[in-house]
């Protein structure tokens, strides 16, 4: 729970999904509760330009965006210790200069404390009901270079919408899903992504959160050798992930969900 996180001297990153039609009184009550946890970050109605969460089925994209701005302003009045994270699709079309749903979310981009996208180099969104196979379409795999490029493109457009003002940029969900790649390709892809961060002379990226962190289905076995191989791959993943930042002057946040 959040108290356990604070007890260990770390900051809370909280994701909250909320009906965009709730009253100011409800938001004030939430803010007063969050105020007691000290410094923290709040990702409100994440992936807000998608269509898979209930808040997008209850309201238009403009209403979702306006709600984020309203929530942020109330939060700053009653819980100024909480920083808001706007998590939207960002740049999803390499041929477009605009972010997804830019008209609706431009004001939210200018209002939030922290910019964010959720992007996976590989993801099986059919899990646990569907195995990632060649003959189904509930999974994807993209290169580390492409995901890094589109994340940076998102940041640049966010900055343009704010008249050149810079804000922290994070990936609230990032991984190469082992269900799609297998454990060792997962390691390689995350390692490649971290190397791109290290080698980029522009210090624009503030952190990422590992999400969907699970062993690939092929390793969920009673055979200890296979399971041990997966555990070795996970250990390698973390050593490769953190290694690029050890001997640099970078201040970078990596969290795990």
């Amino acid at each position: 729970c959040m108290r356990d996180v604070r007890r260990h001297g770390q900051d809370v990153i909280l994701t909250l999904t909320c009906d965009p039609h709730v009253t100011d009184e409800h938001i004030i009550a939430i803010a007063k509760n969050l105020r007691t946890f000290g410094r923290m970050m709040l990702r409100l109605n994440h992936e807000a330009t998608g269509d898979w969460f209930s808040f997008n089925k209850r309201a238009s994209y403009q209403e979702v965006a306006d709600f984020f701005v309203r929530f942020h302003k109330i939060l700053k009045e009653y819980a100024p210790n909480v920083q808001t994270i706007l998590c939207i699709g960002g740049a999803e079309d390499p041929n477009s200069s605009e972010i997804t749903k830019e008209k609706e979310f431009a004001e939210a981009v200018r209002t939030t404390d922290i910019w964010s996208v959720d992007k996976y180099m590989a993801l099986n969104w059919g899990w646990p009901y569907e195995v990632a196979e060649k003959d189904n379409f509930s999974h994807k795999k993209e290169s580390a270079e492409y995901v890094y490029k589109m994340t940076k493109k998102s940041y640049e457009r966010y900055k343009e919408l704010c008249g050149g003002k810079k804000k922290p940029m994070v990936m609230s969900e990032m991984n190469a899903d082992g269900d799609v790649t297998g454990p060792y390709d997962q390691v390689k892809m995350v390692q490649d992504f971290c190397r791109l961060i290290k080698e980029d002379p522009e210090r624009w990226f503030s952190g990422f959160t590992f999400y969907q962190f699970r062993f690939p289905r092929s390793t969920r076995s009673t055979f200890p050798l296979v399971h041990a191989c997966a555990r070795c791959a996970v250990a390698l993943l973390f050593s490769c992930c953190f290694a690029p930042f050890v001997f640099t002057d970078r201040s970078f946040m990596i969290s795990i969900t």
Side-chain angles (χ1 to χ4, degrees), residues 1-14 33-41 81-82:
C1 70
M2 293 192 290
R3 286 187 175 85
D4 287 332
V5 174
R6 293 301 297 161
R7 191 176 296 118
H8 287 85
Q10 302 191 10
D11 294 344
V12 173
I13 304 175
L14 178 65
N33 282 331
L34 295 180
R35 185 170 58 195
T36 64
F37 291 97
R39 187 177 59 223
M40 68 179 298
M41 290 166 274
N81 53 295
V82 181

Side-chain angles (χ1 to χ4, degrees), residues 3 17 22-23 31-32 46 49 61 84 90 117 131 172 200 203:
R3 286 187 175 85
T17 56
V22 301
T23 65
K32 287 181 177 179
H46 61 301
T49 50
Y61 289 109
T84 55
V117 293
V131 179
S172 294
D200 191 338
R203 299 301 193 239

Side-chain angles (χ1 to χ4, degrees), residues 167-170 203-208 250-254:
K167 296 184 182 183
M169 174 71 183
V170 301
R203 299 301 193 239
W204 62 276
F205 197 21
S206 299
F208 59 74
R250 299 296 304 273
S251 176
F252 197 82
M253 175 185 69
I254 299 175

Side-chain angles (χ1 to χ4, degrees), residues 148-164:
Y148 187 83
K149 174 185 175 183
M150 296 306 290
T151 302
K152 188 172 183 179
K153 183 180 175 72
S154 303
Y155 167 78
E156 294 293 349
R157 186 56 182 165
Y158 292 156
K159 189 171 65 172
E160 289 173 2
L161 291 172
C162 293

Side-chain angles (χ1 to χ4, degrees), residues 210-229:
F210 276 122
Y211 227 76
Q212 301 286 17
F213 194 78
R214 54 186 178 240
F215 292 144
R217 185 179 297 271
S218 60
T219 68
R220 294 179 199 139
S221 163
T222 56
F223 294 98
L225 178 60
V226 177
H227 202 61
C229 287

Side-chain angles (χ1 to χ4, degrees), residues 181-198:
T181 64
Y184 290 99
D185 279 352
Q186 180 187 40
V187 172
K188 178 65 165 56
M189 294 181 80
V190 174
Q191 184 181 25
D192 289 345
F193 189 87
C194 290
R195 186 177 295 111
L196 290 168
I197 299 172
K198 178 185 177 183

